[in-house]
Amino acid sequence: MDLQIKDRLYIPTFLPQKGNFKQFNLKKEILRKIEISENERQEVGLTENAETKRIEWDITKDTPLSVEFSADELAYLKDSCEKLSDEELQDDMWQCIEKIYNAIND
């Protein structure tokens, strides 16, 4: 699955905050795989705008990260996406969720 910076910033926000030990370990491994390295942060100029409190970066330098998830990790991501179906979220977050959900179901 190819993930942009925005996807990698959103994924941690929609993963469940609670779960059993297996889910905790799945979440930890997913977060490890999508982590934005310090080198990558510098390359794209990833910073927080002090005025708006928004994360900003140079999208022209955003190179997708190709991530391989295990079957269990994909099932956990799919379940996390499905649990959000009744939530009210920003359109760009829904786009990220839809992208991940569709990639899992292809």
Side-chain angles (χ1 to χ4, degrees):
M1 182 180 310
D2 289 339
L3 299 172
Q4 301 292 135
I5 297 275
K6 183 180 276 190
D7 302 324
R8 293 162 60 200
L9 290 171
Y10 275 144
I11 289 172
T13 66
F14 67 75
L15 293 177
Q17 298 300 311
K18 295 181 183 179
N20 61 35
F21 189 64
K22 179 181 178 182
Q23 292 165 330
F24 166 76
N25 283 311
L26 289 170
K27 179 179 174 180
K28 188 170 64 169
E29 188 61 18
I30 290 167
L31 295 177
R32 184 191 64 76
K33 288 179 178 182
I34 66 168
E35 182 179 9
I36 303 169
S37 70
E38 188 57 42
N39 185 44
E40 192 175 9
R41 289 173 187 268
Q42 291 176 0
E43 286 177 7
V44 300
L46 188 70
T47 58
E48 181 180 356
N49 182 314
E51 288 180 22
T52 64
K53 302 292 183 202
R54 295 181 58 102
I55 306 281
E56 298 175 346
W57 66 95
D58 184 346
I59 59 172
T60 63
K61 296 179 181 177
D62 186 352
T63 306
L65 175 69
S66 184
V67 182
E68 293 290 328
F69 293 112
S70 71
D72 285 344
E73 291 165 348
L74 289 172
Y76 182 72
L77 284 166
K78 181 179 180 179
D79 186 53
S80 298
C81 291
E82 289 173 346
K83 286 181 180 176
L84 294 170
S85 64
D86 292 331
E87 298 289 325
E88 290 185 17
L89 303 171
Q90 299 172 19
D91 288 347
D92 58 344
M93 185 176 272
W94 279 121
Q95 290 168 348
C96 173
I97 292 167
E98 180 181 49
K99 173 183 177 176
I100 291 165
Y101 191 79
N102 289 341
I104 292 168
N105 290 316
D106 283 346

